[in-house]
């Protein structure tokens, strides 16, 4: 019986380079992913509003949600679920890990 292979981890950066409130873009399996440090927790979401495929990177982060700058749709960081129209579909989430002062993203 073969061991299951671990998914490839993508290095986002060091904890020092990703302060509270920071947003960083990384590529995971050819997908743009936005990594957000919000209240000491790292969240990773596909960098793509499900309403009209506008990047979420740079959107306002408040109350555990990121707002798409194009039409104002808000997505919950922890679940990816849309909280306001015009978006109705959730944003894909990715797993984050912190190990030895470094932040990583993995596909789910």
């Amino acid at each position: 019986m073969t061991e299951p292979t671990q998914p490839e981890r993508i290095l986002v950066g060091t904890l020092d380079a990703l302060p509270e409130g920071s947003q960083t873009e990384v590529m995971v399996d050819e997908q743009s992913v936005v990594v957000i440090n919000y209240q000491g927790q790292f969240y990773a979401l596909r960098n793509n509003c499900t309403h009209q495929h506008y990047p979420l990177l740079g959107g306002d982060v408040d109350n555990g949600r990121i707002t798409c700058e194009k039409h104002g749709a808000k997505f919950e960081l922890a679940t990816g679920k849309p909280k306001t129209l015009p978006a109705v579909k959730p944003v894909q989430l990715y797993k984050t890990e912190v190990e030895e002062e470094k932040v990583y993203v993995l596909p789910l």
Side-chain angles (χ1 to χ4, degrees):
M1 192 159 122
T2 60
E3 292 280 320
T5 58
Q6 289 282 55
E8 180 89 18
R9 292 195 309 180
I10 306 299
L11 176 63
V12 179
T14 63
L15 290 176
D16 289 348
L18 301 165
E20 172 66 33
S22 67
Q23 296 184 26
T24 307
E25 180 186 19
V26 294
M27 297 301 287
V28 178
D29 295 333
E30 300 180 21
Q31 290 292 334
S32 173
V33 174
V34 60
V35 180
I36 300 162
N37 182 347
Y38 177 72
Q39 295 184 343
Q41 178 76 40
F42 288 95
Y43 299 92
L45 301 90
R46 185 169 175 193
N47 186 25
N48 183 32
C49 176
T50 58
H51 170 239
Q52 284 193 341
H53 309 294
Y54 192 80
L56 293 173
L57 181 69
D60 184 48
V61 176
D62 186 42
N63 205 22
R65 300 171 180 174
I66 188 166
T67 301
C68 177
E69 294 178 306
K70 186 78 167 175
H71 296 111
K74 295 180 188 294
F75 297 91
E76 204 167 77
L77 296 176
T79 65
K81 290 180 180 172
K83 291 299 176 182
T84 61
L85 293 173
V88 294
K89 293 183 197 163
V91 172
Q92 180 181 348
L93 295 180
Y94 291 80
K95 183 177 179 186
T96 59
E97 288 182 354
V98 178
E99 185 179 298
E100 296 179 2
E101 302 293 307
K102 293 185 175 106
V103 180
Y104 298 91
V105 171
L106 296 89
L108 281 180

